[in-house]
Amino acid sequence: DAKTTQPPSMDCAEGRAANLPCNHSTISGNEYVYWYRQIHSQGPQYIIHGLKNNETNEMASLIITEDRKSSTLILPHATLRDTAVYYCIVRAFTGTASKLTFGTGTRLQVTL
Amino acid sequence: DAGVTQSPTHLIKTRGQQVTLRCSPKSGHDTVSWYQQALGQGPQFIFQYYEEEERQRGNFPDRFSGHQFPNYSSELNVNALLLGDSALYLCASTEQGKLAYEQYFGPGTRLTVT
């Protein structure tokens, strides 16, 4: 799985958009970008994933650059409940439910 | 539909002791993975069970072992506990062959070794 680099922490005002960057310069053509988040003392929660096109769901949007070497997770209207550690993970789908390799993630603090 | 459940929620053990943690997967899931999360770190993959066999293993010593039962539930056993084994232990379940986003995590078991 390709290595990812994320800033250790970010702040965001409630109601504003939170933009969380991730670098994955060694990503391979068959590797997906996944985002998970972990609210304090809970298990990680899936947010969104993509291969090369931008994706949007009810939780967030994922913007992947054309060269696929970086991506940005966007929470359009952050709330206090979005305070969490956000993990960017890159892995290939091999046909088996293989492991997820987590880094240290970005700690997002949403403030009033 | 219950999600992934784990027991116990908290546990305190002494160095050298043995511990067993339990996980029940989400309904319909047949594959269980275990992760260790030390304070301030991301979860680290321990191993995965499918069809009652260990299918993949991370970089953990043999003190860490597991088991999967015919109903797909799983146990994680750790022998000869060390202080460094203190961590949050997470269980994740999915169906074999599914993409990573379809892995669901339980709330974890907080193990403290004194």
Side-chain angles (χ1 to χ4, degrees):
Chain A
D1 297 338
K3 182 177 173 57
T4 61
T5 303
Q6 299 177 254
S9 64
M10 295 183 64
D11 293 327
C12 179
E14 190 176 35
R16 305 296 294 269
N19 297 284
L20 292 88
C22 179
N23 286 318
H24 31 79
S25 59
T26 61
I27 192 170
S28 300
N30 65 340
E31 289 184 312
Y32 289 78
V33 179
Y34 294 86
W35 284 83
Y36 279 74
R37 74 179 182 184
Q38 187 173 23
I39 296 171
H40 183 63
S41 295
Q42 297 181 21
Q45 175 193 25
Y46 164 80
I47 302 173
I48 199 168
H49 77 285
L51 184 61
K52 53 184 178 181
N53 297 321
N54 298 338
E55 303 287 346
T56 296
N57 63 19
E58 65 279 4
M59 289 183 68
S61 294
L62 174 60
I63 308 298
I64 303 174
T65 58
E66 191 169 345
D67 63 7
R68 303 208 324 124
K69 293 185 177 181
S70 65
S71 60
T72 301
L73 177 74
I74 301 173
L75 308 177
H77 305 287
T79 71
L80 296 178
R81 288 175 293 180
D82 292 320
T83 293
V85 177
Y86 288 76
Y87 296 99
C88 171
I89 298 168
V90 171
R91 68 179 293 276
F93 174 56
T94 61
T96 61
S98 56
K99 64 181 181 179
L100 292 169
T101 301
F102 290 84
T104 52
T106 295
R107 183 172 299 276
L108 175 68
Q109 180 69 51
V110 180
T111 58
L112 291 172
Chain B
D1 173 29
V4 179
T5 60
Q6 294 186 243
S7 64
T9 55
H10 295 85
L11 201 54
I12 299 175
K13 290 286 189 179
T14 304
R15 277 180 299 174
Q17 286 188 318
Q18 178 265 344
V19 68
T20 297
L21 310 181
R22 295 176 176 81
C23 171
S24 290
K26 182 178 168 63
S27 177
H29 287 183
D30 57 10
T31 301
V32 173
S33 300
W34 287 91
Y35 291 79
Q36 180 196 66
Q37 186 173 24
L39 201 61
Q41 303 296 315
Q44 300 298 306
F45 177 77
I46 302 175
F47 45 51
Q48 182 188 86
Y49 276 83
Y50 170 63
E51 292 186 331
E52 303 180 46
E53 291 187 11
E54 184 182 292
R55 299 291 179 167
Q56 298 182 68
R57 189 178 183 92
N59 189 26
F60 279 81
D62 292 344
R63 298 187 297 110
F64 290 76
S65 63
H67 189 78
Q68 186 179 35
F69 299 93
N71 66 353
Y72 307 122
S73 67
S74 177
E75 289 182 347
L76 164 65
N77 301 294
V78 187
N79 294 323
L81 284 168
L82 304 174
L83 294 179
D85 295 331
S86 294
L88 180 68
Y89 288 85
L90 295 160
C91 169
S93 76
T94 187
E95 284 184 72
Q96 191 61 223
K98 295 292 188 181
L99 288 171
Y101 77 90
E102 295 186 73
Q103 291 201 34
Y104 292 82
F105 284 81
T109 293
R110 174 72 62 187
L111 172 65
T112 300
V113 181
T114 62

